[in-house]
Amino acid sequence: MGLLTALDGGYGDRADAVTVAGTALSWEQLLGAAGAVAERAAGAPALAVLARPTAETVAAVVGGLLAGVPVVPLPPDSGPVERAHILRDSGATLLAGTALPEDAEGLTALPVDLADRPGGGWRPAAEDPDRTAFVLYTSGTTGAPKGALIPHRAVAAGLDGLADAWQWDAGDTLVHGLPLFHVHGLLLGVLGALRTGSRLVHTGKPTPAGYAAARGSLYFGVPTVWSRIAAEPDAARALAGARLLVSGSAPLPVPVFERLRALTGQAPAERYGMTETLITVATRADGERRPGAVGVPLPGTRTRLVGEDGRPVPADGESVGELQVQGPTLFDGYLGRAEATAASRTADGWFRTGDVAVIGPDGFHRIVGRASVDLIKSGGYRIGAGEVEAALRDHPGVADAAVVGAPDPDLGQAVVAYVVANGEHVLGERELIDFVAGRLSVHKRPRRIVLVGDLPRNAMGKVLKKQLLEDGR
């Protein structure tokens, strides 16, 4: 099946090859249900899938790929305005499911039945590595979400690179409970298993109990998931038999990293990527796992740091610059957005990630954050929000922290920290400011501390820093 080699039968079959929220399918059963979807979807401009954590979602996605039709995953919690924009912008004419939302005007429902099978004359679409596999919509922090065109070749290159980095093969059981509309949960967490031949257990919801009961060898999670698991020692210890715990989509707080290491006997492996690039940098299974670091580039991927003046930034482990990427996992552009596509690349063809990072002499990458919200320019200094957050989380009374640059008439931007206390200490503003100043350069200390009950996050656990600034807490 080209991209999904497990469906070719080369790995044999098993009754529980794919389990989603308790529903188990063999690869043969999945192929049958997906083939029926593919037979009905053939020739459509795009197939939208309301990506709930179900086996039907997996069958619908696989069916679109087998039909050679671009798959458009829809967040199940998207509001009517966002959903209507994605459906209209993507050009989808089919929506997998038996009932259409009221705002899905003009679309045809495509039922998904796990017991269904295609007709005897059905065949998958001819392989074409340049064909669009997915139209994945970005978060839309500036304007309406844009549809990133992800070709089959990029998905294959990314999964093969991670299989190499993580020694991921058919002997593994992959466990996760991540959303199925995102690179992490869908492309890595479903298609990765169908490419490597590993067994897949999707827990439905990413609960500590669900992860502990799955008895996997390879686990995927975001920091929120790992933080909750680390807070339940029995659940964390149940993962001690796994060979690799992978964290991504947002930085893993160092205290969570260390607690997981203490409870499971191994340090988690972090990785880095984004919708437009898929995963480009990862900690290797056979390599060092450093707190706060996301590893080294995957095979075939090149990275570089560039300053605001356009000049190269040295890979010295200290200097901060915008991370730019070249390699086989990059997207083909934004659907219908020629200007945005052109602006996303440099004149010499590198993709501008918009993230700021530090690269060490040994090639290890550390992501500081987004250039738009995490590179703070204060009093003539350039300060990475991530290192201030890491320093704050080292304080025994801090459960979590987010740092932003707030407009300031004197400094340009002032470092402001939003802090969640762990309840064991009474936190004072001066105490925290001095704590950071004692660990970092004095100019990196927060000028203001705001104590909050929690931090606003998106579905993948990333802090919504623009919301913090807009709320003006």
Side-chain angles (χ1 to χ4, degrees):
M1 302 297 167
L3 181 63
L4 310 177
T5 52
L7 301 184
D8 287 333
Y11 298 112
D13 205 0
R14 54 185 302 165
D16 59 350
V18 175
T19 301
V20 184
T23 298
L25 298 173
S26 68
W27 286 316
E28 182 180 359
Q29 289 172 317
L30 175 58
L31 179 58
V37 171
E39 189 175 36
R40 295 192 292 271
L47 169 65
V49 179
L50 195 60
R52 298 187 177 97
T54 65
E56 286 81 3
T57 291
V58 174
V61 170
V62 172
L65 296 175
L66 294 179
V69 171
V71 176
V72 184
L74 288 168
D77 61 348
S78 58
V81 173
E82 179 184 1
R83 185 165 57 239
H85 165 73
I86 292 174
L87 292 172
R88 181 178 61 253
D89 188 71
S90 67
T93 56
L94 299 173
L95 179 61
T98 55
L100 295 177
E102 292 182 2
D103 52 357
E105 184 178 349
L107 273 74
T108 300
L110 194 161
V112 181
D113 186 339
L114 296 178
D116 226 347
R117 297 294 180 269
W122 172 80
R123 293 291 182 273
E127 293 181 26
D128 181 357
D130 295 327
R131 179 186 292 133
T132 297
F134 293 94
V135 185
L136 298 178
Y137 278 79
T138 62
S139 58
T141 53
T142 56
K146 301 187 292 291
L149 301 171
I150 312 297
H152 281 249
R153 67 175 185 278
V155 179
L159 295 179
D160 290 347
L162 290 173
D164 174 77
W166 294 339
Q167 300 173 359
W168 183 6
D169 60 28
D172 279 307
T173 292
L174 169 63
V175 179
H176 74 93
L178 300 175
L180 297 184
F181 56 87
H182 190 268
V183 169
H184 196 169
L186 180 59
L187 273 65
L188 274 62
V190 173
L191 301 193
L194 295 178
R195 187 161 179 84
T196 61
S198 67
R199 179 171 172 255
L200 169 64
V201 177
H202 189 289
T203 58
K205 293 182 178 180
T207 63
Y211 273 46
R215 302 296 177 182
S217 61
L218 176 61
Y219 284 83
F220 290 170
V222 297
T224 301
V225 172
W226 293 123
S227 178
R228 291 171 180 172
I229 290 173
E232 297 193 20
D234 288 344
R237 292 189 187 101
L239 307 188
R243 63 173 192 82
L244 193 64
L245 311 178
V246 177
S247 183
S249 299
L252 183 67
V254 173
V256 176
F257 181 103
E258 297 296 355
R259 186 159 175 78
L260 284 172
R261 175 155 55 186
L263 291 169
T264 67
Q266 64 165 299
E270 295 191 66
R271 89 298 182 279
Y272 166 81
M274 56 193 307
T275 300
E276 294 89 340
T277 68
L278 307 186
I279 304 305
T280 54
V281 178
T283 301
R284 297 186 62 85
D286 57 358
E288 183 183 358
R289 304 176 197 178
R290 302 178 189 171
V294 293
V296 297
L298 294 183
T301 296
R302 294 193 297 156
T303 61
R304 71 182 185 187
L305 298 178
V306 176
E308 291 177 301
D309 57 3
R311 296 180 180 179
V313 170
D316 57 10
E318 295 289 340
S319 301
V320 175
E322 184 199 15
L323 182 64
Q324 298 181 354
V325 177
Q326 272 191 345
T329 67
L330 266 62
F331 75 139
D332 280 343
Y334 297 109
L335 178 63
R337 307 285 185 92
E339 290 186 6
T341 298
S344 72
R345 298 186 187 252
T346 64
D348 56 348
W350 290 70
F351 177 74
R352 308 174 191 269
T353 68
D355 286 325
V356 288
V358 174
I359 301 176
D362 57 0
F364 256 75
H365 289 52
R366 180 166 55 85
I367 306 300
V368 175
R370 294 295 292 171
S372 57
V373 293
D374 291 313
L375 183 60
I376 301 169
K377 302 170 187 175
S378 182
Y381 294 101
R382 299 168 74 244
I383 301 166
E387 59 182 335
V388 183
E389 291 164 354
L392 283 164
R393 292 189 190 110
D394 284 341
H395 189 285
V398 173
D400 205 355
V403 170
V404 300
D408 184 90
D410 179 43
L411 298 170
Q413 288 182 306
V415 178
V416 177
Y418 294 84
V419 173
V420 179
N422 65 13
E424 298 176 4
H425 294 75
V426 176
L427 296 176
E429 182 176 49
R430 175 49 54 187
E431 175 190 1
L432 291 176
I433 291 173
D434 291 345
F435 184 83
V436 173
R439 280 156 178 74
L440 305 176
S441 301
V442 173
H443 68 265
K444 296 179 180 179
R445 71 194 187 282
R447 301 297 178 129
R448 184 160 61 97
I449 301 289
V450 181
L451 294 176
V452 295
D454 56 28
L455 299 172
R457 296 180 184 273
N458 65 14
M460 297 309 296
K462 294 182 180 180
V463 176
L464 302 174
K465 293 191 174 183
K466 288 188 177 181
Q467 183 175 322
L468 287 173
L469 285 168
E470 290 168 0
D471 289 349
R473 298 190 195 186

